[in-house]
Amino acid sequence: MVTVALDAMGSDRGPEVTVAGAAQVSLSPGAPDLVLVGDEAVLRRLLLVTPHERARVRVVHAARVVAQDDKPKEALDAMPDCSILRAAELVARGEADVLVSAGNTGAVTLACARTFARLPTVQRAALGAVYPTERRRGPKDDPFSLILDAGLTLEVSADDLVAFAIMGSAYAKVISKNERPRVALLSNGSEDGKGTSAVVEANRRLRAIAGEHLEFIGNIEGMDIPKGTADVVVTGGFTGNIVLKMLEGVAETVMRLGRYAGDQSLRYKAGLGLLMPAVKKLRQATDWEQYGGAPILGFDHLAIKAHGRSTERAVGNALRVATRAARMELVRTLRESLEACRA
Amino acid sequence: MVTVALDAMGSDRGPEVTVAGAAQVSLSPGAPDLVLVGDEAVLRRLLLVTPHERARVRVVHAARVVAQDDKPKEALDAMPDCSILRAAELVARGEADVLVSAGNTGAVTLACARTFARLPTVQRAALGAVYPTERRRGPKDDPFSLILDAGLTLEVSADDLVAFAIMGSAYAKVISKNERPRVALLSNGSEDGKGTSAVVEANRRLRAIAGEHLEFIGNIEGMDIPKGTADVVVTGGFTGNIVLKMLEGVAETVMRLGRYAGDQSLRYKAGLGLLMPAVKKLRQATDWEQYGGAPILGFDHLAIKAHGRSTERAVGNALRVATRAARMELVRTLRESLEACRA
């Protein structure tokens, strides 16, 4: 039985959505056990009026909460009794298997860093994020690729990129059921020698490691990102964050540029009108918040970070991803992969 | 009278397109003088069969040419008589005012570095590239913003970013006739403290410099790039290159994702069909090669780099941009701006 520790206070929309998401998950077949961490009185009050499976849900009190705009270090130093730390401690103690939070990303990561240990060879953690691509894969026609780091480690070394590649590959294997995820480094050129010094060195080492445990396909460039050429795209957090935010804007971008194209004719407007339903679907497809949450990879316990503005549905998806990762022993796979590829 | 030195051999499509582009420009009102540098026999043969204004066009011989896949340093060391070096030397000696080439970007840049001097405070050169945005500005409804560095300086210091900001602003003032270009740093967050150490430091210094000579609006994020919030987007060459290549793919991306949206209904297909003319225009809008060429900024002489696959039209546009920059004394403006903002 998997137990998920949910930081129920860490959400822009308040505990109403986290409780609602957890309640909905608790009622599903194959539900995990759920520990909601936060202001006990508030949470119990919400649970009273939200249908849920009582046998699956319990509450652990935490008096304080880190706000979205708090500085992580200062907040955690000042509030050892905040919900994210308490939730992380449950996982560290083995009372829960995995952590989920929609709170302040820096605080969630720092809580992990202070409470968990790092996996072998890992110096910096990475946030993984899925995004939709042109390419479908697997029996479910999955369009998603994974990019990491999405913004935790702004300036990366070659060691970091190598660890991200190995962990990203392991995550894709477990979560996407992709037996051999294609892993690439993002660079300014496809040739092996192209890139910053960290990228060039990481490329060299990944070429050497590639084999049974890692399908490294080399470098990809910016235009390859949406194609899905790689199942796992590896880059530093600064670049990864910028790339993902650009992707988030892509549907709006083209509609706006389409207006720029300046064709005000009836023909164009009619076309646009007919296309809107598909464009709406497109917007949903590029709306990550519904796709379940981003794994924080690098620690000996897994944390899933849901978007701060997560809806009840997005929280539920994050809980489902966390449950699946725990059931499939993702951390064990991460550890084994990192050990196997140790230089 | 402005004189443009054109490396006539540096093009994937061969000297036919460079000669054709130059010939067409020579016949336009307000044409510059054009010096075509390359294999004299080949160029004269092409000119014989290409209508051009004889008074405006002359040929200077260069026996060798750097190939697109040559390593720049090795090629320039081995071939001091190559067309790009000869053309750069003409500019350095004052026999021409500005350099244009569609050749190997690394070789063009290295030829500049070996032949020209750096402007005050500049340590690394930047390649500027225009891209279309949602926002229109000026009397001509100009949709374009400038991003630099597009890929010459992969790993940047704060000093580099500050110089890029000042030069990008000066270029936008002169070329886009924008009296007060809005300049921003690209970062993983809009707050001043967000970014790599170089970005945070550059932000601090640009805030201090901002004023009469520089309209610094702070940091922008990935989703702001296509909006045109900033007229000049400043980033390191690694990130800039990735961003531009992603933008190049944006029209294709959305069409592909549109197919993913999976709406196979007649309604959707009809919509797509009606929209295609506008989408085609959109593709053209995001097809940089026709927009004239990218300035290499940082040296005391200007070079305009046209895309390797430039058509005759794109070469012509690059020559026009070069002529305008020289007429408006861009290098003087660059120098003055850098001096004025010297720490």
Side-chain angles (χ1 to χ4, degrees), chain B residues 1-4 32 96-99 171 174-175 302 304 319-332:
Chain B
M1 173 50 69
V2 164
T3 304
V4 182
D97 301 293
V98 57
L99 172 65
Y171 185 80
V174 169
I175 295 297
L302 182 68
I304 298 290
L319 292 168
R320 274 182 264 269
V321 168
T323 304
R324 176 146 159 210
R327 281 208 171 110
M328 303 186 72
E329 296 186 286
L330 172 68
V331 174
R332 185 168 65 90

Side-chain angles (χ1 to χ4, degrees), chain A residues 35-48:
Chain A
V35 183
L36 276 51
V37 183
D39 185 315
E40 190 168 9
V42 168
L43 296 178
R44 289 203 187 285
R45 214 166 29 240
L46 284 167
L47 283 168
L48 266 176

Side-chain angles (χ1 to χ4, degrees), chain A residues 191-277:
Chain A
E191 305 91 323
D192 283 347
K194 290 274 198 164
T196 58
S197 44
V199 170
V200 171
E201 170 66 12
N203 177 293
R204 194 189 63 76
R205 291 175 45 194
L206 289 169
R207 285 282 186 210
I209 290 171
E212 184 193 334
H213 285 273
L214 188 72
E215 173 92 354
F216 178 59
I217 64 168
N219 294 346
I220 61 166
E221 300 175 84
M223 72 282 273
D224 301 318
I225 293 172
K227 291 181 189 171
T229 314
D231 300 307
V232 179
V233 178
V234 179
T235 187
F238 184 73
T239 311
N241 183 282
I242 287 166
V243 161
L244 279 161
K245 283 176 177 163
M246 274 184 66
L247 285 170
E248 278 177 34
V250 89
E252 281 93 50
T253 296
V254 172
M255 294 318 297
R256 286 169 174 154
L257 290 180
R259 277 183 234 123
Y260 157 71
D263 190 343
Q264 295 302 317
S265 73
L266 198 61
R267 191 174 151 85
Y268 170 74
K269 282 180 174 167
L272 208 50
L274 283 174
L275 198 61
M276 277 317 287

Side-chain angles (χ1 to χ4, degrees), chain B residues 25-245:
Chain B
V25 167
S26 75
L27 293 167
S28 319
D33 281 342
L34 294 149
V35 184
L36 275 51
V37 182
D39 184 317
E40 192 169 7
V42 169
L43 296 178
R44 291 204 185 284
R45 211 161 37 238
L46 284 167
L47 283 169
L48 267 177
V49 297
T50 313
H52 61 282
E53 176 51 67
R54 288 169 165 240
R56 294 260 168 270
V57 179
R58 67 180 181 101
V59 174
V60 163
H61 181 64
R64 312 286 298 278
V65 58
V66 177
Q68 201 55 254
D69 52 1
D70 277 346
K71 288 196 192 313
K73 186 181 181 308
E74 292 166 16
L76 295 193
D77 285 344
M79 300 185 287
D81 53 348
C82 65
S83 56
I84 186 57
L85 272 172
R86 286 275 178 262
E89 284 156 11
L90 287 177
V91 176
R93 286 201 301 264
E95 293 180 39
D97 301 293
V98 57
L99 172 65
V100 175
S101 175
N104 178 323
T105 306
V108 175
T109 309
L110 190 57
C112 292
R114 289 185 175 187
T115 321
F116 305 154
R118 273 176 279 147
L119 287 167
T121 78
V122 170
Q123 286 154 18
R124 304 294 305 275
L127 184 70
V130 293
Y131 69 97
T133 72
E134 170 192 5
R135 199 166 74 86
R136 310 287 203 101
R137 59 216 88 178
K140 292 190 179 178
D141 270 355
D142 178 6
F144 294 108
S145 285
L146 179 78
I147 187 167
L148 76 167
D149 171 31
L152 297 186
T153 300
L154 298 187
E155 303 184 66
V156 286
S157 66
D159 284 345
D160 295 328
L161 292 172
V162 170
F164 294 172
I166 295 165
M167 293 193 294
S169 178
Y171 185 80
K173 269 184 207 171
V174 169
I175 295 297
S176 307
K177 296 183 187 167
N178 183 340
E179 299 230 354
R180 246 181 119 58
R182 293 155 56 85
V183 180
L185 284 165
L186 181 58
S187 193
N188 60 303
S190 54
E191 306 91 322
D192 284 346
K194 288 274 198 163
T196 58
S197 46
V199 169
V200 171
E201 170 67 12
N203 176 293
R204 194 189 62 75
R205 291 174 46 193
L206 289 169
R207 285 283 185 209
I209 289 171
E212 183 192 337
H213 286 272
L214 188 73
E215 173 92 354
F216 177 60
I217 63 168
N219 293 346
I220 61 165
E221 300 177 86
M223 72 282 274
D224 301 318
I225 294 172
K227 293 180 190 172
T229 315
D231 301 305
V232 179
V233 178
V234 179
T235 186
F238 184 73
T239 310
N241 183 282
I242 287 166
V243 161
L244 280 161
K245 283 175 177 163

